[in-house]
Amino acid sequence: MAAVAALQLGLRAAGLRAAGLERAPASAAWRSVLGVSQRPEVAWRPSRCGSSAAEASATKAEDDSFLRWVLLLIPVTAFGLGTWQVQRRKWKLNLIAELESRVLAEPVPLPADPVELKNLEYRPVKVRGCFDHSKELYMMPRTMVDPAREAREAGRISSSAETGAYVVTPFHCTDLG
C-alpha cells in the first residue's frame, strides 16, 4: 500500500510539473507577491497595484518633471519680484525728490484761475488778505499730541486727558476778491 501511495504521489507530482502547477517554495511565492523577479540580473522595483513597471516609470518621470518646473518657478519668481522692487524703489526715490523740490521752492503768487492750481500741488504760495474769525469751524475732539509724553506713556489707550480741536478759519484774499 505504501508503494501505491508513493507511486500515486510521484505520478501526481510529475503531472503537476508537466502542467506547470507544481507547488513553489514559500520564498518563491513571497517573491511573486512582492514583485521581486526570480532572475538575479533584474533589479527589484516596487510596483503599484495593477500598474506595470512602464506605467510606474512614466508616472515617476511626470512627477519629476512637475517637481523640476515648480523648483524652477521659485527662483524665477523671486528674481522677478526683486527686479520689481528695485524699479519701484527708483520710482519712489524720484517721487520723493520731486515732492521735496516742490515743497522747498520759493513761494509763488496764487493764480486766479483754478485750473492752474493743479500745477501748484505741494508748492508754497503768497497771498494777501485777512482771516474771517466769525466763520471759524471747530472739529472736535482731537487729542493733543506731545511726543515726549507719548514716548513715556506708550501703550495706554489715551495718553492725554486734555483734548483739543482742529480750527478751520476762512481766509479772504484781497488780490483775488
Side-chain angles (χ1 to χ4, degrees), residues 1 11-12 18 20 25 28-29 52 68 71 79 82-83 92 96 98 101 105 146 153 158:
M1 180 97 160
L11 289 175
R12 185 170 177 205
S52 68
R68 286 181 184 165
L71 291 177
F79 178 77
T83 303
K92 195 67 163 182
I96 291 170
E98 182 183 337
S101 69
D146 178 17
E153 301 173 4
S158 177

Side-chain angles (χ1 to χ4, degrees), residues 38-61:
Q38 293 180 359
R39 294 177 297 178
E41 68 272 0
V42 177
W44 175 77
R45 290 186 185 146
S47 63
R48 297 185 180 164
C49 294
S51 66
S52 68
E55 290 175 359
S57 65
T59 305
K60 183 172 173 30

Side-chain angles (χ1 to χ4, degrees), residues 154-171:
R156 291 181 57 190
I157 292 175
S158 177
S159 62
S160 174
E162 302 171 13
T163 58
Y166 287 110
V167 180
V168 180
T169 307
F171 186 82

Side-chain angles (χ1 to χ4, degrees), residues 58-73:
T59 305
K60 183 172 173 30
E62 289 174 7
D63 292 345
D64 287 348
S65 175
F66 177 73
L67 182 63
R68 286 181 184 165
W69 279 107
V70 168
L71 291 177
L72 178 64
L73 188 63

Side-chain angles (χ1 to χ4, degrees), residues 12 21-22 37 46 55 82 87 106 110 119 121 128 149 153 156 160 164 172:
R12 185 170 177 205
L21 301 173
E22 162 183 33
S37 174
E55 290 175 359
Q87 291 173 353
E106 289 294 319
L110 185 66
N119 299 332
E121 190 175 23
R128 289 183 183 245
R149 185 176 29 217
E153 301 173 4
R156 291 181 57 190
S160 174
H172 294 286

Side-chain angles (χ1 to χ4, degrees), residues 73-95:
L73 188 63
I74 292 170
V76 168
T77 303
F79 178 77
L81 289 174
T83 303
W84 171 72
Q85 285 291 338
V86 169
Q87 291 173 353
R88 185 175 177 270
R89 182 177 183 271
K90 287 179 186 177
W91 169 78
K92 195 67 163 182
L93 290 175
N94 289 337
L95 181 64

